[in-house]
Amino acid sequence: MFHTRASTYNIVDATPFKRDVLRELAEACQHQGLRLHLYYSILDWMRTDYPLGRTGLKTGRQSRPDYDSYFNFMKTQVRELLTDYPKVEGLWFDGYWDHDGDSIPFDWRMPEFYRYIHSLKPACLIGNNHHITPIEGEDFQMFERDLPGENTAGLSGQEISHLPLEMCQTMNGMWGYKVADQNYKSTSELIRLIARAAAKNSNLLLNIGPQPNGELPATALDRLQGIGRWMRKNGESIYGTTATSLGEQPWGVTTQKDNRLFLHVFGGEGAKGTSGVDGASGVDGTSGAVITLPWPAKKPKSVRALSTSVPLTFSFDKRAKVLTIQLPADLDEADFVIEVLKQ
């Protein structure tokens, strides 16, 4: 998908399109002030020197495995990507798992590969979707289809490292485009996923499979617009925040930044978190839902709805060190964010 000199099998030399889409993308990102990270597959079903693993066995190509040759090919390509294109500041590798079934462990020589990359660009971020403990030279740890510490998809059983964390997830069911796959996650579900990722100190990489004509599917655009509307009002509870000691609660999750604690109360379509909201009398004597949480500090300076700045009624039990907050009567938002300002 770029005009590599390492092979004629590229979008410029081998297709009628004849344009370097990566250069156009890189220049657009530079113009917009965006940092560009690139996906790079270390498995290859085209080259004969790539040692076939458990995939690509039915491609019909002749195999003459020569990993020294293939390794040098990859080095040539990453050098091109990092030196010929502006603002490429991260490489996201995939395909390591192609040899996870080998009877004799396959040596990808990743530490050597990473040292080479960092010799070209020391600040280049490196991650690898290999489903194992991070390898020497990687700058962040990724988890596929599950948040750190979870493993519902069977791909993320590895221990959580000290590195920065990232979860990658699909918007529907596929990594690429499949016209029949209309099983899109709802906007509410995706918003709650963003909040849960932030609450685990994890970045979220949300995948979209473009259509064959290059356009994004209408449903994907709808989901992005919905996320954008929520983020415009509640982005402060995500950007630049860290996890708290509270962990996940029955009603949602928490994030924090400086002296601000953000409570993400999950409601709306498909939410399960509201089961942890107490339907008891409100703290001002009226009937309404409340949430309680341990509060070892002083009485909060203020409690408000982040999106509207409307103050919320609350009480603080100094002896029990418990904070109780009354919620609005109609809690139908995917993620209703409460800002608690500490003294």
Side-chain angles (χ1 to χ4, degrees), residues 22-316:
L22 179 56
R23 181 164 302 282
E24 294 176 20
L25 176 63
E27 290 174 352
C29 287
Q30 183 181 38
H31 180 72
Q32 298 293 337
L34 297 175
R35 297 172 178 174
L36 180 61
H37 292 202
L38 300 178
Y39 174 103
Y40 187 94
S41 173
I42 60 175
L43 74 84
D44 192 313
W45 295 343
M46 168 67 184
R47 291 183 61 90
T48 59
D49 55 358
Y50 171 72
L52 279 177
R54 61 178 169 85
T55 68
L57 299 176
K58 298 180 181 180
T59 58
R61 72 167 173 83
Q62 298 297 314
S63 178
R64 294 185 293 274
D66 182 346
Y67 192 64
D68 285 338
S69 169
Y70 185 72
F71 189 75
N72 288 328
F73 163 75
M74 291 197 298
K75 288 173 65 177
T76 298
Q77 288 207 315
V78 297
R79 184 178 68 249
E80 291 175 333
L81 294 171
L82 294 178
T83 59
D84 294 353
Y85 296 83
K87 285 292 183 181
V88 176
E89 300 193 12
L91 293 173
W92 202 100
F93 293 109
D94 202 5
Y96 188 98
W97 36 262
D98 194 36
H99 283 276
D100 59 13
D102 291 8
S103 56
I104 300 175
F106 182 74
D107 183 9
W108 285 95
R109 294 160 56 185
M110 286 291 105
E112 178 186 350
F113 193 37
Y114 298 159
R115 286 193 296 271
Y116 176 73
I117 292 167
H118 283 142
S119 73
L120 297 171
K121 196 164 192 175
C124 179
L125 292 175
I126 294 175
N128 197 323
N129 187 35
H130 45 43
H131 311 147
I132 60 175
T133 301
I135 298 170
E136 175 192 348
E138 293 172 3
D139 300 300
F140 64 97
Q141 181 180 14
M142 63 180 71
F143 298 82
E144 183 174 352
R145 293 190 183 273
D146 274 298
L147 288 167
E150 302 175 5
N151 192 24
T152 61
L155 300 171
S156 300
Q158 65 271 37
E159 294 290 326
I160 301 173
S161 73
H162 68 281
L163 296 175
L165 308 175
E166 177 177 272
M167 172 205 189
C168 58
Q169 180 59 287
T170 55
M171 190 172 277
N172 51 2
M174 303 294 295
W175 292 109
Y177 178 73
K178 184 177 180 180
V179 66
D181 182 9
Q182 297 300 311
N183 187 30
Y184 281 82
K185 300 169 181 65
S186 69
T187 302
S188 295
E189 185 179 359
L190 293 172
I191 288 171
R192 291 192 289 268
L193 181 60
I194 291 170
R196 293 186 64 234
K200 288 179 175 285
N201 281 333
S202 175
N203 184 49
L204 174 63
L205 189 155
L206 186 59
N207 180 81
I208 305 170
Q211 298 174 158
N213 64 0
E215 296 179 356
L216 298 181
T219 307
L221 289 174
D222 174 76
R223 300 299 190 265
L224 291 174
Q225 289 165 351
I227 292 170
R229 287 191 293 270
W230 183 88
M231 290 292 283
R232 279 192 290 273
K233 296 179 179 179
N234 298 285
E236 290 179 87
S237 68
I238 301 296
Y239 295 124
T241 60
T242 60
T244 75
S245 59
L246 290 173
E248 194 148 358
Q249 300 293 313
W251 43 262
V253 297
T254 58
T255 55
Q256 62 185 350
K257 178 165 51 181
D258 300 325
N259 66 334
R260 306 163 74 190
L261 175 71
F262 301 102
L263 313 181
H264 298 260
V265 183
F266 296 158
E269 176 192 359
K272 298 179 181 179
T274 48
S275 62
V277 175
D278 298 322
S281 294
V283 296
D284 62 352
T286 61
S287 177
V290 299
I291 59 172
T292 60
L293 63 152
W295 193 262
K298 298 178 181 179
K299 181 179 179 180
K301 187 175 183 179
S302 66
V303 177
R304 68 180 181 118
L306 183 61
S307 63
T308 62
S309 297
V310 173
L312 299 177
T313 303
F314 70 96
S315 68
F316 173 56

